[in-house]
Amino acid sequence: MNVRFLYPVVVLALLGILFSLANTPNMVTHTLPVSQHDIAQMESSSFTVMMDVLTHQRCMNCHPNDDIPKQGDDRHPHYFGMARGINDKGFQATNCHTCHQSVNNKNSGVPGAPHWALAPASMGWEGLTRTEIAGRLLNRETNGNKSHEELIEHMTKDELVLWAWDPGVNANGVQRTLPPVSKEDFKKAVVDWFANGAVIPTK
Amino acid sequence: MKISFIINGMSKIIDVEDENTPLLYIIRDVLDLKGTKFGCGKAACGACTLHVNNEAVRSCSYPVKFAEGKEIITIEGLGNRAKPHPVQQAWIEEIVPQCGYCQPGFIMATAALLNKVPRPTDKDIDNNIINICRCGTYYRMRKAIHRAAELSAESSSTSFKITD
Amino acid sequence: MATNKNSNKGVSRRKFLVKGGLGTLGVLAVGTYIFRNPIRRGILGKVNSLEMPYTDNTDKPMIWFEITSDNFIRLHSPKMEMGQGTFTGIAQMAADELSIAMHRIKVVHAASSTGNVDSFATGGSTSISGLWQPLRELSAMLRTMLLKEASHKLNLDIDQLIVEDGTIIGKGKQLTFAQVADGVDEWVVPDSPVLKDIKDYKYVGKPVPRIDLEDKVFGDPIFGMDAQMPNMLYGAVVRSSKIGSVFVSADSTTAEKMPGVVKIIHEADFVAVVANSMIEAENAKNAIEVIWESYDNLNTKDIVEIMTVGNGSSTIIQKKGKALKEKDNSLTMEFRTPIGAHAQIEPNGVVAFVKDGKAIIKISTQVVGLTRKEVAQRLDLDVEQVIVEPTFLGGGFGRRLHTPHAVQAALMSKAVGRPVKYFFSRKEEFQHDMFRPPTHHVISGNLNEEGLLNVLEHEFVSGDVGNDSALIPGFLPPIIGADIGAIRGGFIQYTGIPNFRSVYWHVDLPFATSWWRSLGLLANTFAMESFMDEMAIRAQMNAVEFRLRQIADDPIGIRLKNVINAVTDKAKYSENIVEGRAMGLAASIDANTPCAQIAEVSIVNHEIVVHKVTVAMDPGLAVNPDQIRAQCEGCVIMGISAVLYEQMFVENGELAPTIYGPYKMALMKNAPKEIDVVLLQGKDTPGAVGEPPLGPIGAAIANAVRRLTGERLTQLPLKLPKYI
């Protein structure tokens, strides 16, 4: 429990994150809190990494709190009035799968992944703080009755979640922005955060 | 790569170099069914709407590989002059088309809607029929969609009727 | 030939058979109809009400009708069908004068090889009005010729014969038109065919269904995009996404090696790919590195700055009495409209085949003659060697008055010796549109003691509409000083006002603007009719009364009053807000057709919702009332789209957006659930229909919003302030 001892580790972690970011279009600089409690710091850093992803538009666009999916880096409402509809998959006849298939489409620029749909309304995160999002994530009443193990599974293996790192090109053929953290770092952060008790930092 | 599917009731096997070629191009340029239209190539206008396993699909954004083993219906297979589909019949009764280019897409989207919702409300129509018509035939289309629902109901009720 | 006094009487059928390459038995052609080009007698004061007659291209023989052996008539239309219902209207006219059932008339687009080429364009809402007299005369002429021939074949007097549904009957004997025409080489062409009484028409004036309904409902391959030829390849032209780009040079080394590429074509002004498929052409196109000279730093605000009254040069287009001297006691308002895209769903494109000094061009075009001329000039061919075969248009709206892509496809085809199909991508459609120009309007007026306008002044600036168009002879703009398209609707229609003037300002824009359905009408009427309502409010007068009292009692003024009265009655116009809804009124005159509209509007979730629009229009004689209604409905909805949603931006030298969605347009849910149309007939010939109803809609909505919210919205697209 020596701050001076751990400090270089934190710096290294920081550099690691920055390195992983070097190839992504939008660089985000992460300032890790330096607290007196090292564990808390570790937790806090995995929490931050995880949340940097969850609050990124690639994730957030499909976790709306107004039943309207968002699109693009500016998070505009989905064009043509598409909405949550039935079972989070759009309207009766015109639904997500009318346009979105299980893979990205490089000709049309329409993104796709298996079971393309909105996150359930209970997982609407838009406008919530990181702490509030984490609360919803852990709460079995809002997370679809998932245990921690199931949440880890979902967040590190579900193809729709991992689509965020392979979002394809947009209608103009331009690569979509990636989350600010690499897929591997994100997975590690999720695993670490749960391994350390899934503590939601308090301010 | 060989891909087989049923289109408008006929089995087809096609040979494609790129299995990600949009289904629209295969239908228009290989199978020579020109009723399904190219409008934007970005799944935005809906002119290329057709049915895959009875679901509305925008075929410009649908790789042909996904059609393997499936049943496709295009405007040419929905109905014909001798036996129009209720949606086509309603479109004729209400004299909907102007330039006509977007109409097959709308007709296919409407037919898909009636498959799911036999009596759509105005709200159902607003939600589901989100193709683009530049001539502005929406006003007559709405009337035609309601009329098509009536015609479908009539034809299905007569088919259950026991003849006197 | 028929009505050309200098031509020989008698038309050789064989000559036409050879010329048209028609193989059908019993084919008959009836020849030319000549009008002087009306543009040449264009006088500025008349431009706003110009009703253009049909103008043919040459005095050479042209094929209008074919009679097929099964007794159907194929009518070769020099006007294109782009949704406006022209084919149906002309079939009605021909059927009535020929005395044949409508289902026996099949209308086709006249290929240029038939000689029946319109020297101007399908546009300006002139097709039915322009063909009204000539087509009926030609039909009557054909009927008379057939009667004469039948009288000869049946050995009966013409008086003893009657015509019933394409069959000539007399004394128990009968011959179908086809039987009459069979084997006849020389025809006696009457000098002055007698037209029937309009009262005796069976089809004209009736709401008969469109004749192309089934083709369009069953997905027939009728559009330019559906055209193909054997052994066809696909082309793509590299286009810069930057405004004002001038092609400098291209490096196609990589593209040449890409799959499916047949040839890369380097021309002086463009570079193109020909490949085996559309996707391969598109992919190779993207791999070509082109150097352009272009504007990099243009943005919407620069365009707005350019597009401001006071910039450039001005022309007074209308003037009466004295100018507004003092701005005392006067109101001055400014209005702006944005760049608009055509956004028609069928992209521009063409199939071209050039070989052995001949070119075949299959294309959605509004300008068959111009398309043909441009291809001939660039490829150094005789005009007659270029055969343009027009198709149905997947929307026209003025976009297809420019067809340089036909020239590009022809050059590609010439280079590979095979037919080439070339279509715009949607991004190219949006970035290389010939846009509706942005406009700026400054309107001033003051009231007299009676609460009526003493002075009204409209000054407006617009990008080019007609000035730069190949359709308008180059000598014309300098003579008239104003852009004949931009000034549409820019005239003051309240000519009872003692003092008024309208001033057009011209500035050059760095990108192309041109014809967009209704031309200046949409923008000009939005501004002027918004201002009128604002003055009515100032005068504390009902908006209807305020208008009616200031319209002169000349023929067009009376017709304008009539449509205003009719729309007011039909919609039960009231200036009260009822259940959150308010009404807004506006009126306009375009191409001599007055139209008034009342929009019923509410605000739902901070958005303007148009529930109902009532339209009263006086297009003169209604050849097909149902299709006139359809045009009114279409204009109302296209108008709602333009005035509530549509807008192109300039961002770092690029026009954006480049796809539907970001380019927001009216969808089903945005269309009013009720559109009521009242048609008046204030003159006994058909007038303009396809554009006039686009005039009033913008101001009608804005005026309703003003009554609902107290806010005067002065910019299109109409946006509510945040606090509402």
Side-chain angles (χ1 to χ4, degrees), chain C residues 364-399:
Chain C
S364 297
T365 177
Q366 291 176 251
V367 281
V368 177
L370 182 64
T371 304
R372 184 168 68 152
K373 192 174 88 186
E374 288 178 347
V375 170
Q377 277 173 355
R378 180 72 181 256
L379 276 77
D380 201 18
L381 299 171
D382 289 339
V383 166
E384 285 72 22
Q385 297 307 307
V386 179
I387 297 169
V388 177
E389 296 178 4
T391 64
F392 280 85
L393 276 60
F397 314 114
R399 179 64 186 94

Side-chain angles (χ1 to χ4, degrees), chain C residues 164-179:
Chain C
E164 263 179 26
D165 188 14
T167 299
I168 297 174
I169 305 165
K171 296 255 169 181
K173 294 189 274 189
Q174 63 178 59
L175 288 172
T176 65
F177 285 178
Q179 286 166 332

Side-chain angles (χ1 to χ4, degrees), chain A residues 66-87:
Chain A
D66 59 358
D67 295 335
I68 295 167
K70 306 300 184 294
Q71 295 177 310
D73 287 347
D74 61 352
R75 308 179 185 209
H76 60 259
H78 195 294
Y79 294 118
F80 313 110
M82 278 310 293
R84 180 179 302 281
I86 301 152
N87 298 328

Side-chain angles (χ1 to χ4, degrees), chain B residues 22 25 28-29 32 34-35 37-40 42 44-45 47 75-76 79-81 84 88 91-92 95 97-101 103 107 122 125-126 129-132 134-136 138-142 145, chain C residues 82-83 209-210 213-221 223 225-226 228 234 279 341-342 345-347 393-395 397 426 516 626-627 630-631 633-634 637 646 659-660 665-669 671 673 675:
Chain B
Y25 298 178
R28 285 183 57 84
D29 296 339
D32 198 23
K34 298 283 199 276
K37 300 302 182 194
F38 176 95
C40 66
K42 304 290 176 186
C45 72
I75 186 77
E76 292 92 343
N80 54 47
R81 285 166 168 82
Q88 290 167 315
W91 245 245
I92 290 169
I95 317 181
Q98 288 188 24
C99 92
Y101 194 80
Q103 302 285 322
I107 290 170
D122 277 337
I125 293 169
D126 288 345
I129 306 302
I130 55 173
N131 297 12
I132 297 172
R134 188 39 150 173
C135 298
Y138 300 124
Y139 171 69
R140 289 192 183 196
M141 275 189 208
R142 183 184 300 279
I145 294 168
Chain C
M82 48 193 185
R210 299 178 66 100
L213 249 184
E214 292 193 348
D215 302 348
K216 290 176 175 175
V217 163
F218 294 106
D220 289 1
F223 298 99
M225 185 50 124
D226 306 333
Q228 54 193 6
Y234 295 81
I279 288 189
H342 286 88
I345 312 292
E346 183 196 19
L393 276 60
F397 314 114
R426 186 48 58 181
W516 191 98
D626 177 69
Q627 281 308 298
Q631 287 300 296
E633 294 157 10
I637 292 169
E646 295 179 32
I659 184 69
Y660 300 114
M665 292 165 68
L667 299 176
M668 177 75 82
K669 65 177 177 184
K673 294 208 171 59
I675 302 177

